[in-house]
Amino acid sequence: MLVAARELLAVRSPLDAELMVSDMIGAWWGRRLRGGDVEQVLGEGLVDYAAKAGNPAALTLLVAMAYLGTARQGAKAEGAALALMESGVARPSWADRVGAVKPTGCFVSRDEYGDQDTVVCTFAYRTDHLSGSPRPRRAGPTEDRHAMVLVVDYNMRGMARDAWVSSQVEKLLEQARSEAESNEMLRFEEIEPDQARALLESAMKATREPPGRRTPPPVSESYGAYHAFARARLKALPPGRKRPAPLHGEAPYSRDRRAMLAAEFLASDAAEHLSDPSAASRCADHIIDYGCDQDFGRALRVSPKKCETFLLSWLPRKVMLSPAEQEAMPHVLAAWVRFAAARTGLPEPGLRATLDAVWEATAKFSEAYRDPTAFGLPRALVERLLPDGDLSALARRVFAFPLLEGTHGDVDLDRLNPADDADRRVLLEIDHVGEGDRPDYEEHLAWHEEIASRLWEGDPPELWEAAQRLLDLGHDRHDVLHVLIEIAERIGDHPDELAAAFDDIADIPDEPPF
């Protein structure tokens, strides 16, 4: 990277320099290193290495990283750059202008479905400022206008999934306006800079914190290259909003409001053809919960992509449906689409496209949704393991409590409830028959209770992910549990450290600590 930084010596534009360095440090964005934080090991390591090199190429890299790096990287890079400049190392002509920008306008292109926002923030460089520092200090006239574009996807938890930069600002804005004028499913409007900052900071945070930490988030190939640039540019926008403005103006839904909305739907003309009111009611509850909990409180938002994701991804992973509910769900969802579209004013083309998507997904739904009873699990057993209906919890709860049927001595296992603390203790004692004479039996059993409770709740998610990796390698269940216990006992009550420790498990050591 330091060799590549030599190219920065020939660059004249601060924008080109910033984009080049953003691309360079984007090489490790979203990646993981075992036993260390990638931003610390590689990012801060690069700053330290450049500081020791002490040549003009190193200085150009440090100047850019003082603006584009993380807070720790930026502070270290600024100090190192100042030291090199004071020692007489020549700095590039653009050094004083890196990051010396002011916002000139913020805009958003939104589809009527509410699936995504394309946010355009325009900036220009200031032309008078103090020199001698690798960071901007003062405002002045502007030049070199450019646009930063980020795409926010609300079907992916509101994450920023794409980013790019354009110097053709007027052409970009005119194209967005033209597309909105010719397509009734698009809107293009100007928004306040503080609103843009809040929206994009929330989106970039969602991208940075994907549900599973072992793989990079599902973003475009170019996102990593622009991530550092976008993160730095957002700081040039005025703060003021702690969170984005409410999407489509919807307020949070309480349980009572959700129940009222379900009742309104079931009493509407859209639902009059549904033949099983009981199943329809439960299906409506799932649809509303999905909109409220997974889509920023937008229970009434419908789109082809949202309905497809709900039917083919979320339901099969998260919800335990009865056979009647499985049969009714596509029909209830289609009725909900008609009901919601009338309430929100979704244009007719959007309504037709969404209904088409529901019916196209219906045939796939029977294949995507796997009823646990189809694999030989009695429904009564599944209901004991899933009192909350969270289908995604089934495997980890079966792993935590494998002895739930039959008898042991005079204990009827079918009557024990793994969600009850007292019954949970009995189940774990039975799982440890023959170990009662070990001196640390009570303490050992208490740690098994701790791990079993965490597996039951899925807290942290990395715990079950680690267990699955070890099981896939062929390790015995009890050995896996003991490794998890050793980590929990060593880390203690430090949630982030505990999650990171579980996330780092790749195999059981040759000499397990038990």
Side-chain angles (χ1 to χ4, degrees):
M1 287 190 172
L2 192 58
V3 172
R6 295 173 184 171
E7 297 181 19
L8 294 168
L9 297 172
V11 169
R12 296 194 177 192
S13 162
L15 178 61
D16 289 341
E18 291 168 15
L19 291 175
M20 287 175 64
V21 174
S22 180
D23 188 14
M24 289 173 63
I25 65 180
W28 63 72
W29 179 83
R31 307 293 176 176
R32 296 182 64 258
L33 290 179
R34 283 192 64 188
D37 176 73
V38 68
E39 292 291 353
Q40 181 179 359
V41 175
L42 293 181
E44 295 178 34
L46 178 59
V47 171
D48 292 339
Y49 188 80
K52 292 177 182 177
N55 55 40
L59 177 57
T60 61
L61 184 59
L62 291 170
V63 167
M65 287 196 70
Y67 172 66
L68 295 168
T70 63
R72 285 174 55 92
Q73 293 165 8
K76 296 183 70 172
E78 181 175 23
L82 286 170
L84 291 183
M85 286 189 285
E86 290 173 358
S87 68
V89 177
R91 67 173 183 263
S93 59
W94 45 261
D96 292 340
R97 300 174 61 211
V98 169
V101 297
K102 64 178 295 184
T104 58
C106 295
F107 309 83
V108 62
S109 177
R110 287 179 167 142
D111 65 70
E112 288 291 345
Y113 292 123
D115 280 337
Q116 71 176 31
D117 288 345
T118 300
V119 183
V120 181
C121 298
T122 63
F123 302 88
Y125 283 89
R126 301 159 177 163
T127 58
D128 67 327
H129 45 272
L130 295 177
S131 60
S133 170
R135 290 192 174 184
R137 298 303 184 201
R138 193 174 67 196
T142 60
E143 60 179 22
D144 297 338
R145 196 174 179 214
H146 54 279
M148 177 185 73
V149 185
L150 276 88
V151 177
V152 181
D153 193 326
Y154 296 109
N155 290 314
M156 298 172 67
R157 301 175 300 104
M159 67 186 294
R161 63 170 178 81
D162 200 1
W164 67 92
V165 173
S166 173
S167 59
Q168 304 294 318
V169 177
E170 293 305 327
K171 182 178 179 181
L172 177 68
L173 295 178
E174 181 55 37
Q175 181 179 358
R177 292 189 187 99
S178 177
E179 289 178 352
E181 290 173 359
S182 61
N183 186 346
E184 64 177 309
M185 294 300 294
L186 286 177
R187 288 184 292 123
F188 182 75
E189 57 194 19
E190 187 168 6
I191 59 175
E192 293 297 324
D194 62 339
Q195 182 181 356
R197 176 170 177 168
L199 192 159
L200 293 178
E201 284 183 337
S202 174
M204 293 184 74
K205 180 180 179 182
T207 306
R208 190 170 66 248
E209 299 177 354
R213 295 174 53 184
R214 292 194 64 80
T215 58
V219 296
S220 69
E221 292 184 4
S222 65
Y223 181 83
Y226 291 102
H227 176 265
F229 181 90
R231 178 181 60 198
R233 277 296 188 271
L234 289 186
K235 297 176 183 176
L237 298 176
R241 293 179 185 261
K242 293 184 178 180
R243 64 192 64 179
L247 297 165
H248 289 209
E250 291 200 22
Y253 277 72
S254 64
R255 299 310 308 181
D256 288 344
R257 189 180 177 203
R258 297 185 193 195
M260 185 178 298
L261 182 60
E264 292 174 3
F265 162 66
L266 295 170
S268 70
D269 293 341
E272 64 179 357
H273 68 285
L274 299 175
S275 58
D276 187 338
S278 179
S281 177
R282 292 191 293 273
C283 289
D285 289 340
H286 294 313
I287 294 170
I288 293 170
D289 286 344
Y290 177 74
C292 291
D293 300 335
Q294 306 296 318
D295 192 25
F296 303 91
R298 297 187 293 178
L300 290 168
R301 186 180 81 82
V302 293
S303 77
K305 183 63 177 178
K306 180 179 178 180
C307 290
E308 179 183 286
T309 302
F310 172 73
L311 271 182
L312 303 183
S313 179
W314 189 76
L315 276 176
R317 290 186 299 106
K318 294 294 293 181
V319 179
M320 174 70 177
L321 297 174
S322 69
E325 291 162 8
Q326 295 173 45
E327 178 71 23
M329 181 58 79
H331 305 281
V332 177
L333 181 58
W336 177 265
V337 168
R338 296 187 181 93
F339 170 77
R343 295 281 292 266
T344 61
L346 182 68
E348 184 63 25
L351 171 59
R352 292 198 302 270
T354 304
L355 288 173
D356 287 344
V358 171
W359 297 128
E360 287 177 10
T362 296
K364 302 175 184 177
F365 176 64
S366 59
E367 300 175 5
Y369 190 87
R370 288 287 183 257
D371 190 327
T373 59
F375 299 102
L377 293 176
R379 180 160 292 273
L381 174 60
V382 174
E383 289 174 350
R384 288 162 65 202
L385 288 164
L386 304 179
D388 51 3
D390 184 1
L391 192 55
S392 65
L394 182 60
R396 68 173 188 266
R397 291 176 180 174
V398 169
F399 173 75
F401 300 103
L403 304 176
L404 291 171
E405 295 182 285
T407 60
H408 178 80
D410 58 354
V411 178
D412 185 354
L413 298 179
D414 295 87
R415 293 182 174 276
L416 295 179
N417 178 11
D420 179 79
D421 289 341
D423 287 358
R424 183 176 293 179
R425 172 78 178 195
V426 174
L427 288 168
L428 291 174
E429 288 174 347
I430 294 173
D431 197 22
H432 286 78
V433 169
E435 297 184 33
D437 57 347
R438 59 184 292 172
D440 63 341
Y441 176 75
E442 290 298 326
E443 180 183 1
H444 183 68
L445 202 61
W447 277 111
H448 271 279
E449 285 187 271
E450 168 76 11
I451 293 299
S453 296
R454 287 185 175 277
L455 286 167
W456 185 271
E457 298 295 337
D459 178 30
E462 292 80 6
L463 171 64
W464 175 231
E465 293 169 5
Q468 291 177 89
R469 290 195 299 275
L470 298 178
L471 291 170
D472 289 342
L473 291 171
H475 293 297
D476 176 79
R477 169 181 172 271
H478 218 59
D479 289 347
V480 172
L481 285 170
H482 283 183
V483 169
L484 301 178
I485 287 172
E486 187 276 330
I487 291 174
E489 188 174 7
R490 172 166 50 86
I491 301 297
D493 190 19
H494 300 282
D496 292 339
E497 294 181 23
L498 191 62
F502 286 135
D503 202 31
D504 279 338
I505 298 178
D507 201 349
I508 292 180
D510 293 335
E511 296 183 4
F514 48 81

